[in-house]
C-alpha cells in the first residue's frame, strides 16, 4: 500500500470528475457547506499534493481527520472513486510527515495503536482492570478526586461513556470449535473483534449460536489479534499489514466456507486484506482467498437462506441504524433488515436517515468531539421520531455511542440498543424454551 | 495590494465568510468540467442580496473580477475562477421565500438546491418541471444562469420556460428586479430573458420567481430495444408525427447500454444498438392510450422488444438505466469528458452514426446518450488526460463532431452552456453580426469586464 500521496496510483485520484454527486451525502459538507469539507474537495487537496502544487500541512492534516471515513461518499459516487484507498493513504501521509504531532497526541497514538491494539491479551487484561475499576467503587473515588483532569480533553468528555466491560470475554463464552445441533453444512470461522469482545462478548456468543442453529460448525480461536481497521483508518498502514498477516496465520483459510464478522467496521476492513498485502509476496495470494471468504454475519445468513425462527424475541418493535461501514463499506443493506423482519411478532420500523453516520466513526468521537456530538444528536432525534423502544445496529462503536446518548436523553422513548443477531439468537432460544411469540423473553 | 480589498469584503460578510488559505482555495479551483482549473484570490460567502451587492461594489472599486458560483456542478467551466478573482459562493442564499398557490408561483433565493424547489412545490400538489441530472446538488441560480434542461424537456421545456422574474445584482452593484407574477406582461424589453443563460457574465441572480404546474396524475414508463439506430430515430419521428408528446424520450447507444448493464445489472441485453426510454404523463386515460400507441409504433418501426413498466416502481427501475448512463460511463476510464451538442431532430440518426464513425476513425471510446426528443446528444469521451497523444485525438474528434453539428444546423451546446469549454466553437455557430451583438450587450452592462471575464467569449 502506498504511504504517501505521491506514491499513490494517480488514476485513483483522477477518477474523481468533481461532479459533486457526493456532496449532499457527506455529513461534514452538509454541516459547513465548505468544499474543503467535502469528498470532492478533499480529493482535490490530495491531488494537488500529488501534483506537488501544495504540501502536506497541518491544515491538510486537520482536514483529513475532520473526515469521518464514513464512506457515504462511496455509495453516492457515480464514478466509482476508491475513497477508502485515498483516505487511508492521505492519513498515512499526514502521519509520516508528522504535521499534527504533539507529545500528547503521540503518546495516545502510541498507547492505543502500538501497544493496546497490537496485543490482544494485554487489551483483555486492561479490559478486566477497567471492569474491576468500574465495579469496585474506585471509579467513584477517582471521579470525585479530580484525577481525571490528567486525561486529554476528548477522553475526559467521553469518560462517563466508557463502556461497561463484559464480565467474561468471548474466549470464556465460546469454545474453540463448536458443532451445530443437526447436520453440519458449513464450516466457518468467527472473528470476535476487540471492541465487540471487550464490551459485547455476548453478541459474539449470540453470533455463534445463530451460526450453529443454521448448520455451521464454528471455529473461534480464543485469542485473536485486532483486525487492524483502527490502524488502517488512522494512518498506520504498516501496523495494519502486520495485524493482517497475524490474522491470516491464525486461521486455516482453505478449510473454511466463510469467515464471519459481526462488526460493520471490522468487516469492511477485513474484506480488503488482498489490496493491503498485494505487494507482500508471501501473503498476497492467501489474502485474496481470505477476502473472498469474509462475510458479514447477516450477509452470510441471507446467502445460505437462514432458518426463520418460530418464536419471537421478546421485543415487539425495533428500528435499525445502519453502521456506515456495513452499509457503505460492505454494501450490506437488505440482509440485516431481512434478519429482523424474519422474527415473528417483531415490527421493524424504518429509521429516517438510517444510513447517516452517528458520529462514532472509529475514534472520531475522541478526536473530533464537537462534530461527533452533533451527529449523535441528529441520530437520536431521528430515533425518537420513530417512537420505538429499541434500536438495533451492527457495529460495537455505533452501539456504544448511541447507547450512551440514549441514556442521557431522558425524553427519548427509545431506551435500549441491541444488535440484529442478538434478537435472532433470542428468538431461536425462545423456540427451545417453549415458543414464546412475544412478551416476556 | 489586496489587503484593503479583503478587509473591506470581510466588513460586508464577516471575517469568517472570507477564505484565502491554500487548503480553502484549492477545492474552489474547478467545477464539474474535466481538466480545467484555476485558483482564485479568495472565496466569499454572502448571506443575502444586499451582501452580494456590497461585495460586487467593492470588487468594482478594486477592479477584482467576480465569479459567481452555485454548487459548481457546471459542465462547461462557467464557475472555474479566473486568476486573482473573487469567487462568490451563493449557497448561503438558501431560502424558499414563498409558494403562491393562487398564482402557481414559487419565489426562492438563488442558492436553493433544485430538488428542494421541486419538493416544496410537491407539498402543494404542484411540480417544477426542469429536472437536470444534477438536481440533487445544483442550485436554482446556477440552473437559471445555465438555462438547464432535463429529462422532461421534450414536453415541458427548459429552465427559461419557468422563470417569471429575477432579482439581479448588476456589475456595478445595483440591485434590479425584473419580471413579475403576471402570466401576460409585455411592458418593455424582456430583460429577465437576458440574464437567463448568461452564465454569470451579465449579473448575479440573487432571487428567482418560478412558475409551477399541477402535478400530472399518472405516469407510464417503457423501454424499447433496437438493433439499429435508424429504427430508434424513426420511432421518435413517428411518435411526434402521431401527435403524441411524451414527457421523456431518451436514448442510449450500444456502448452506454453495455456500461450501464455492467455497472447496474438491470437486465438489459448488451447487444442492442440503441435503447429508448419513453415516458408519458398526464390524465390516466390519456396516459394509458398513449402508452399503447407508442408501444405499437415502436414495434412497427423495428423495436426488438418493448418493456412497459407495470407500476411506478418498475418505471423508476427502467428509468434508472438512463439516469445511470453518465455514471456508468465515468467508471470506465480516469477522465470523462461529457459533450453537449444538439441537432435538429431530423438529423439525429445521422449524427449518432457520425459520432460512432469518428470514434472508430480516431481509435477512441465514445459513449453517446441523450435527449432524443430534443435532439440533444451527450457524446462522452472516455480517456486519460495524462495520455497526451490520446488527448490530441480527443481534440480532433471533438472538432469534427462540432463541425458536423454546425453543418446540419445544430448548436454547440444544448444545456450545459458555453463557459470556457465551448467558446472557441461559439464563434463558428454565429454570424459576425450576431456574435458582435452579444459582445455589445456584455460591454454595455459590464464595460470593465469584471463579471466572469473570459467566459462565453474572450
Ligand atoms: C452529474 C451531472 C449531471 C448534470 N445534468 C445536467 C442536465 O441534465 N441538464 C443540464 O442542463 N445540466 C446538467 N448538468 C450541468 C449543471 O449541473 C448545470 O449547469 C447546473 O445548472 C449548474 O448549477 P450550479 O449551481 O452547480 O452552478 P455552477 O456550476 O456553480 O455555475 C454555473 C454557471 O452559472 C453561474 N452562476 C451560478 N450561480 C449564479 C447566480 N446565482 N447568478 C449568476 N450566475 C450564476 C456561474 O458563474 C457559472 O457560470 C449536470 C452536471 C452534473 C455534474
Ligand atoms: S461523486 Fe465521486 S466523482 Fe463526483 S465529485 Fe464526488 S467523489 Fe468525485
Ligand atoms: S468519508 Fe464521510 S465524511 Fe469523509 S468525505 Fe466521505 S462522506 Fe464525507
Amino acid at each position: 500500500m502506498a504511504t504517501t500521496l505521491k506514491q499513490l496510483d494517480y488514476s485513483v485520484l483522477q477518477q474523481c470528475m468533481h461532479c459533486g454527486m457526493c456532496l449532499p451525502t457527506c455529513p461534514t459538507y452538509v454541516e459547513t457547506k465548505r468544499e474543503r469539507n467535502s469528498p470532492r474537495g478533499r480529493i482535490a487537496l490530495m491531488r494537488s499534493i500529488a501534483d506537488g502544487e501544495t504540501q502536506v500541512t497541518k491544515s491538510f492534516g486537520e482536514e483529513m481527520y475532520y473526515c469521518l471515513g464514513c464512506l457515504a461518499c462511496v455509495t453516492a459516487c457515480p464514478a466509482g472513486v476508491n475513497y477508502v484507498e485515498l483516505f487511508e493513504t492521505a492519513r498515512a501521509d499526514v502521519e509520516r510527515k508528522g504535521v499534527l504531532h504533539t507529545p500528547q497526541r503521540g503518546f495516545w497514538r502510541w498507547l492505543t495503536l502500538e501497544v493496546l491494539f497490537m496485543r490482544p491479551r494485554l487489551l483483555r487484561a486492561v479490559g478486566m482492570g477497567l471492569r474491576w475499576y468500574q465495579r469496585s467503587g474506585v471509579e467513584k473515588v477517582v471521579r470525585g478526586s479530580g484525577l481525571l483532569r490528567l486525561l486529554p480533553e476528548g477522553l475526559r468528555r467521553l469518560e462517563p461513556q466508557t463502556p461497561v466491560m463484559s464480565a467474561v470475554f468471548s474466549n470464556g463464552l465460546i469454545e474453540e470449535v463448536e458443532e451445530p445441533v443437526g447436520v453440519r453444512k458449513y464450516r466457518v470461522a468467527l472473528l470476535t473483534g476487540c471492541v465487540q469482545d471487550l464490551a459485547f462478548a455476548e453478541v459474539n456468543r449470540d453470533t455463534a449460536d445463530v451460526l450453529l442453529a443454521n448448520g455451521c460448525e464454528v471455529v473461534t480461536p480464543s485469542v485473536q489479534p485486532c483486525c487492524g481497521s483502527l490502524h488502517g483508518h488512522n494512518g498506520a498502514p504498516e501496523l495494519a499489514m502486520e495485524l493482517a498477516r497475524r490474522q491470516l496465520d491464525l486461521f486455516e483459510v482453505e478449510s473454511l466456507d466463510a469467515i464471519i464478522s459481526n462488526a460493520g467496521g471490522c468487516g469492511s476492513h477485513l474484506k480488503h486484506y488482498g489490496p493491503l498485502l498485494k505487494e507482500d509476496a508471501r501473503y498476497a495470494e492467501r489474502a485474496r482467498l481470505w477476502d473472498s471468504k469474509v462475510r458479514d454475519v447477516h450477509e452470510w445468513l441471507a446467502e445460505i437462506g437462514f432458518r426463520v425462527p418460530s418464536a419471537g424475541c421478546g421485543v415487539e418493535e425495533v428500528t435499525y441504524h445502519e453502521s456506515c461501514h456495513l452499509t457503505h463499506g460492505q454494501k450490506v443493506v437488505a440482509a440485516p433488515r431481512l434478519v429482523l423482519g424474519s422474527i415473528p411478532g417483531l415490527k421493524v420500523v424504518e429509521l429516517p436517515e438510517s444510513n447517516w453516520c452517528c458520529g462514532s466513526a472509529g475514534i472520531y468521537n475522541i478526536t473530533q468531539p464537537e462534530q461527533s456530538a452533533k451527529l449523535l444528536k441528529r441520530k437520536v432525534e431521528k430515533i425518537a421520531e420513530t417512537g420505538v423502544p429499541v434500536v438495533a445496529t451492527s457495529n460495537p462503536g455505533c452501539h456504544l455511542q448511541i447507547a450512551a446518548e440514549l441514556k442521557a436523553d431522558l425524553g427519548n422513548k427509545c431506551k435500549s440498543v441491541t444488535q440484529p443477531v442478538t434478537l435472532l439468537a433470542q428468538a431461536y432460544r425462545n423456540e427451545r424454551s417453549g415458543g414464546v411469540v412475544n412478551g416476556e423473553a | 495590494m489586496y489587503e484593503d480589498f479583503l478587509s473591506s469584503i470581510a466588513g460586508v460578510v464577516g471575517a469568517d465568510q472570507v477564505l484565502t488559505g491554500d487548503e480553502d482555495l484549492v477545492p474552489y479551483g474547478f467545477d464539474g468540467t474535466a481538466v480545467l482549473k484555476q485558483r482564485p484570490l479568495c472565496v466569499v460567502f454572502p448571506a443575502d442580496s444586499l451582501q452580494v451587492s456590497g461585495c460586487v461594489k467593492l470588487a468594482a472599486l478594486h477592479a477584482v473580477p467576480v465569479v459567481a458560483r452555485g454548487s459548481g456542478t457546471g459542465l462547461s467551466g462557467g464557475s472555474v475562477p479566473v486568476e486573482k478573482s473573487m469567487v462568490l459562493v451563493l449557497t448561503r442564499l438558501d431560502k424558499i421565500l414563498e409558494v403562491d398557490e393562487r398564482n402557481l408561483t414559487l419565489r426562492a433565493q438563488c442558492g436553493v438546491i433544485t430538488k428542494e424547489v421541486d419538493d416544496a412545490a410537491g407539498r402543494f400538489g404542484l411540480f417544477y418541471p426542469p429536472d437536470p441530472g444534477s438536481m440533487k446538488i445544483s442550485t436554482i441560480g446556477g440552473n437559471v444562469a445555465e438555462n438547464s434542461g432535463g429529462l422532461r424537456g421534450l414536453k415541458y421545456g427548459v429552465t427559461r420556460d419557468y422563470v417569471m422574474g429575477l432579482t439581479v445584482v448588476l456589475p456595478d452593484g445595483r440591485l434590479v428586479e425584473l419580471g413579475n407574477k403576471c402570466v401576460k406582461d409585455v411592458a418593455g424589453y424582456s430583460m429577465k430573458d437576458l440574464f437567463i443563460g448568461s452564465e454569470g457574465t451579465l449579473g448575479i441572480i440573487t432571487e428567482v420567481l418560478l412558475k409551477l404546474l399541477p402535478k400530472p396524475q399518472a405516469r407510464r414508463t417503457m423501454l424499447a430495444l433496437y438493433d439499429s439506430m435508424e429504427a430508434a430515430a424513426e420511432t421518435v419521428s413517428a411518435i411526434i408525427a402521431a401527435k403524441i408528446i411524451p414527457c421523456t424520450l431518451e436514448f442510449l447507444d450500444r456502448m452506454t447500454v453495455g456500461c450501464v448493464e455492467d455497472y447496474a445489472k438491470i437486465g438489459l441485453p448488451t447487444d442492442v444498438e440503441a435503447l429508448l426510454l419513453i415516458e408519458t404523463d398526464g390524465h390516466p386515460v390519456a396516459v394509458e392510450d398513449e402508452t399503447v400507441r407508442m408501444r405499437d409504433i415502436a414495434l412497427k418501426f423495428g423495436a426488438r422488444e418493448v418493456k412497459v413498466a407495470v407500476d411506478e416502481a418498475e418505471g423508476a427501475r427502467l428509468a434508472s438505466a438512463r439516469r445511470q448512463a453518465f455514471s456508468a460511463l465515468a467508471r470506465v476510464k480516469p477522465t470523462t469528458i461529457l459533450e453537449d451538442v444538439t441537432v435538429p431532430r431530423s438529423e439525429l440518426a445521422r449524427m449518432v452514426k457520425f459520432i460512432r464513425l469518428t470514434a472508430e476513425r480516431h481509435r477512441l471510446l465514445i459513449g453517446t446518450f441523450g435527449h432524443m426528443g430534443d435532439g440533444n446528444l451527450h457524446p462522452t469521451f472516455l480517456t486519460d488526460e495524462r495520455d497526451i497523444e490520446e488527448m490530441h485525438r480527443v481534440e480532433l474528434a471533438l472538432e469534427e463532431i462540432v463541425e458536423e453539428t454546425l453543418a446540419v444546423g445544430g448548436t454547440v451546446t444544448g444545456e450545459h452552456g458555453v463557459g470556457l469549454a465551448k467558446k472557441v466553437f461559439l464563434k463558428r455557430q454565429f454570424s459576425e453580426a450576431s456574435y458582435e451583438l452579444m459582445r455589445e450587450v456584455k460591454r454595455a452592462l459590464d464595460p470593465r469586464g469584471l463579471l466572469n471575464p473570459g467566459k462565453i467569449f474572450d
Side-chain angles (χ1 to χ4, degrees):
Chain A
M1 196 192 127
T3 54
T4 71
L5 289 164
K6 281 196 175 146
Q7 291 166 359
L8 186 73
D9 175 1
Y10 194 75
S11 61
V12 182
L13 285 162
Q14 265 182 309
Q15 195 66 41
C16 172
M17 54 181 178
H18 10 108
C19 65
M21 285 300 204
C22 50
L23 265 52
T25 68
C26 173
T28 57
Y29 176 77
V30 168
E31 174 67 28
T32 67
K33 297 279 175 67
R34 297 278 158 98
E35 283 282 358
R36 67 174 281 170
N37 308 129
S38 79
R40 86 175 162 176
R42 292 183 173 118
I43 296 168
L45 289 173
M46 294 177 203
R47 188 163 169 179
S48 87
I49 289 169
D51 287 340
E53 288 170 7
T54 49
Q55 305 301 315
V56 176
T57 58
K58 181 158 179 263
S59 173
F60 175 75
E62 284 165 357
E63 192 51 60
M64 293 307 121
Y65 280 89
Y66 186 51
C67 170
L68 294 146
C70 70
L71 310 186
C73 49
V74 174
T75 298
C77 177
V81 170
N82 185 349
Y83 190 78
V84 179
E85 186 170 357
L86 294 173
F87 170 71
E88 293 190 352
T89 310
R91 280 197 177 176
D93 211 351
V94 167
E95 295 310 326
R96 276 177 66 96
K97 303 277 173 17
V99 288
L100 295 179
H101 184 77
T102 62
Q104 204 185 41
R105 185 175 185 273
F107 170 75
W108 286 103
R109 278 183 66 85
W110 169 80
L111 183 66
T112 48
L113 296 181
E114 293 184 41
V115 178
L116 288 177
F117 285 87
M118 290 303 284
R119 294 180 175 74
R121 284 200 175 81
L122 179 65
L123 191 63
R124 275 184 183 162
V126 169
M128 233 123 79
L130 201 55
R131 182 176 163 79
W132 170 80
Y133 167 80
Q134 287 167 337
R135 292 289 158 96
S136 64
V138 179
E139 183 176 53
K140 281 207 186 75
V141 178
V142 173
R143 280 185 184 164
S145 73
L147 264 177
L148 292 171
R149 255 173 276 145
L150 296 176
L151 288 176
E153 150 92 44
L155 278 184
R156 209 182 321 140
R157 197 189 59 86
L158 281 180
E159 195 275 341
Q161 302 183 3
T162 313
V164 176
M165 292 294 128
S166 303
V168 247
F169 302 125
S170 306
N171 58 336
L173 294 174
I174 308 170
E175 298 293 320
E176 291 234 342
V177 179
E178 297 192 14
E179 292 295 336
V181 213
V183 210
R184 190 188 94 171
K185 289 190 262 178
Y186 311 95
R187 184 177 148 83
V188 306
L190 174 59
L191 299 165
T192 49
C194 21
V195 178
Q196 194 88 287
D197 180 37
L198 291 184
F200 305 111
E202 343 63 75
V203 176
N204 284 335
R205 180 66 254 175
D206 295 336
T207 308
D209 286 348
V210 163
L211 291 167
L212 293 168
N214 282 285
C216 302
E217 178 191 31
V218 182
V219 184
T220 317
S222 72
V223 184
Q224 300 184 16
C226 162
C227 66
S229 80
L230 193 64
H231 306 77
H233 296 166
N234 285 285
E238 283 89 1
L239 296 179
M241 285 185 235
E242 174 57 29
L243 287 167
R245 282 190 284 263
R246 281 198 222 162
Q247 200 81 259
L248 292 174
D249 288 341
L250 190 63
F251 293 86
E252 258 182 55
V253 184
E254 293 76 9
S255 73
L256 297 166
D257 292 306
I259 302 160
I260 304 297
S261 159
N262 60 9
C266 308
S268 176
H269 181 75
L270 286 157
K271 285 177 173 172
H272 291 93
Y273 279 180
L276 186 66
L277 295 175
K278 67 170 182 278
E279 275 144 36
D280 183 328
R282 278 185 49 221
Y283 283 89
E285 185 139 344
R286 211 170 141 75
R288 270 199 301 278
L289 182 68
W290 167 279
D291 286 3
S292 70
K293 295 193 175 181
V294 177
R295 294 284 186 287
D296 175 73
V297 60
H298 309 95
E299 188 184 16
W300 174 247
L301 290 171
E303 197 173 311
I304 62 176
F306 71 104
R307 185 170 66 73
V308 170
S310 59
C313 61
V315 174
E316 284 169 25
E317 273 185 316
V318 70
T319 190
Y320 174 63
H321 159 69
E322 303 184 68
S323 101
C324 292
H325 282 239
L326 188 59
T327 184
H328 301 302
Q330 302 188 51
K331 310 280 184 248
V332 175
V333 178
R337 292 179 163 91
L338 196 69
V339 165
L340 291 172
S342 74
I343 300 172
L346 180 65
K347 184 172 161 213
V348 188
V349 180
E350 196 55 35
L351 177 66
E353 296 187 354
S354 62
N355 65 4
W356 196 258
C357 182
C358 68
S360 162
I363 52 168
Y364 194 86
N365 47 11
I366 303 174
T367 56
Q368 303 282 341
E370 258 179 55
Q371 173 66 6
S372 171
K374 281 184 192 150
L375 288 168
L376 180 53
K377 188 156 167 285
R378 182 167 173 153
K379 182 57 67 181
V380 296
E381 278 169 13
K382 293 295 168 191
I383 294 174
E385 267 177 40
T386 64
V388 165
V390 179
V391 55
T393 188
S394 186
N395 188 49
C398 311
H399 190 149
L400 284 171
Q401 165 106 339
I402 295 173
E405 184 67 15
L406 286 178
K407 207 161 72 183
D409 185 9
L410 298 175
N412 205 321
K413 202 181 149 208
C414 184
K415 281 287 154 247
S416 144
V417 185
T418 185
Q419 305 204 13
V421 272
T422 296
L423 296 181
L424 183 59
Q426 190 57 47
Y428 285 145
R429 268 175 225 135
N430 288 349
E431 277 178 356
R432 266 173 282 143
S433 64
V436 190
V437 167
N438 242 312
E440 76 293 355
Chain B
M1 75 176 267
Y2 289 109
E3 255 116 68
D4 276 2
F5 171 66
L6 291 172
S7 66
S8 49
I9 288 287
V12 174
V13 296
D16 57 333
Q17 303 298 338
V18 181
L19 306 180
T20 54
D22 275 352
E23 281 76 11
D24 291 305
L25 297 185
V26 167
Y28 286 98
F30 53 81
D31 65 1
T33 321
V35 193
L36 304 171
K37 64 175 179 191
Q38 170 68 52
R39 225 180 287 185
L41 166 71
C42 62
V43 180
V44 178
F45 302 83
D48 53 34
S49 301
L50 283 179
Q51 290 193 358
V52 173
S53 155
C55 291
V56 172
K57 277 183 187 148
L58 285 169
L61 189 68
H62 291 82
V64 172
V66 181
V67 181
R69 181 183 174 101
S71 297
T73 67
L75 291 172
S76 57
S79 56
V80 173
V82 292
E83 220 180 321
K84 300 281 178 226
S85 59
M86 166 170 71
V87 171
L88 269 189
V89 181
L90 298 158
T91 47
R92 284 177 74 207
L93 282 81
D94 60 356
K95 283 163 214 62
I96 292 181
L97 303 167
E98 179 195 69
V99 179
D100 181 345
E101 263 187 290
R102 295 194 309 171
N103 286 304
L104 303 189
T105 61
L106 179 149
R107 186 187 293 279
Q109 289 183 305
C110 63
V112 174
I113 303 299
T114 315
K115 179 159 187 305
E116 287 167 11
V117 170
D118 190 42
D119 289 347
R123 286 192 278 279
F124 293 85
L126 302 169
F127 85 124
Y128 173 68
D131 59 343
S134 52
M135 69 184 297
K136 281 189 195 158
I137 350 161
S138 64
T139 63
I140 193 72
N143 288 177
V144 175
E146 295 285 8
N147 192 12
S148 303
L151 295 197
R152 301 191 276 236
L154 174 59
K155 177 167 172 183
Y156 294 104
V158 294
T159 304
R160 183 182 300 279
D161 301 308
Y162 297 87
V163 177
M164 298 184 78
L166 294 175
T167 303
V168 180
V169 172
L170 298 177
D172 59 8
R174 275 179 304 162
L175 253 175
V176 293
E177 300 216 7
L178 311 166
N180 52 50
K181 285 185 187 172
C182 299
V183 174
K184 297 175 77 178
D185 172 20
V186 296
Y189 299 147
S190 178
M191 294 307 289
K192 70 174 164 50
D193 284 293
L194 194 55
F195 293 90
I196 303 169
S198 68
E199 306 185 25
T201 62
L202 298 180
I204 297 180
I205 299 153
T206 59
E207 276 178 35
V208 297
L209 176 66
L210 302 170
K211 174 168 94 177
L212 303 176
L213 294 184
K215 245 189 213 167
Q217 291 167 27
R219 188 209 323 259
R220 227 12 146 61
T221 309
M222 62 184 115
L223 275 188
L225 310 175
Y226 293 88
D227 292 320
S228 90
M229 193 63 223
E230 284 71 21
E234 277 168 26
T235 302
V236 173
S237 309
I239 288 173
I240 309 276
K243 304 194 174 53
I244 304 173
I245 307 272
C247 63
T248 298
L249 242 183
E250 300 283 311
F251 95 102
L252 310 181
D253 75 352
R254 182 193 190 109
M255 164 127 178
T256 313
V257 173
C259 289
V260 167
E261 190 47 34
D262 256 9
Y263 160 50
K265 314 247 172 338
I266 297 171
L268 306 172
T270 50
D271 60 342
V272 293
E273 280 305 316
L275 174 158
L276 286 184
L277 169 74
I278 309 169
E279 212 164 74
T280 159
D281 67 3
H283 190 277
V285 178
V287 165
E288 277 320 303
D289 171 60
E290 287 177 359
T291 302
V292 173
R293 281 165 62 207
M294 290 197 292
R295 190 198 57 205
D296 292 348
I297 292 174
L299 289 172
K300 181 169 161 212
F301 283 87
R304 178 207 291 189
E305 189 190 339
V306 179
K307 298 183 196 224
V308 180
V310 289
D311 54 21
E312 284 267 334
E314 196 187 356
R317 205 174 59 79
L318 297 183
S320 73
R322 166 62 182 89
R323 295 223 174 251
Q324 293 178 1
F326 182 29
S327 325
L329 288 168
R331 290 178 175 243
V332 179
K333 292 279 229 121
T335 309
T336 309
I337 301 176
L338 180 73
E339 279 307 328
D340 176 35
V341 293
T342 303
V343 295
R345 288 179 283 204
S346 55
E347 306 297 327
L348 270 167
R350 170 171 166 192
M351 198 60 209
V352 173
K353 191 166 169 199
F354 180 85
I355 294 169
R356 197 176 55 220
L357 293 176
T358 309
E360 279 167 22
R361 217 170 333 108
H362 291 284
R363 290 172 289 119
L364 291 168
L365 288 178
I366 307 180
T368 305
F369 61 95
H371 315 287
M372 194 78 160
D374 313 345
N376 188 183
L377 300 176
H378 293 308
T380 305
F381 293 75
L382 311 180
T383 177
D384 182 341
E385 72 206 72
R386 287 172 305 171
D387 186 339
I388 295 168
E389 189 270 329
E390 184 170 282
M391 285 302 278
H392 179 63
R393 283 185 276 128
V394 168
E395 262 167 51
L396 292 179
L398 181 57
E399 185 77 33
E400 287 168 27
I401 291 170
V402 169
E403 283 303 328
E404 181 70 8
T405 303
L406 294 177
V408 301
T411 168
V412 297
T413 167
E415 55 183 20
H416 297 163
V418 180
L420 291 169
K422 294 292 181 63
K423 62 180 182 178
V424 288
F425 300 135
L426 186 72
K427 223 173 184 161
R428 297 188 210 163
Q429 182 179 330
F430 284 82
S431 74
E432 188 63 36
S434 41
Y435 186 71
E436 202 39 49
L437 173 64
M438 274 202 277
R439 302 186 59 149
E440 271 166 32
V441 171
K442 167 76 177 169
R443 273 196 293 270
L445 279 169
D446 184 16
R448 294 160 71 207
L450 288 178
L451 275 200
N452 219 359
K455 309 297 169 68
I456 305 185
F457 26 60
D458 294 310

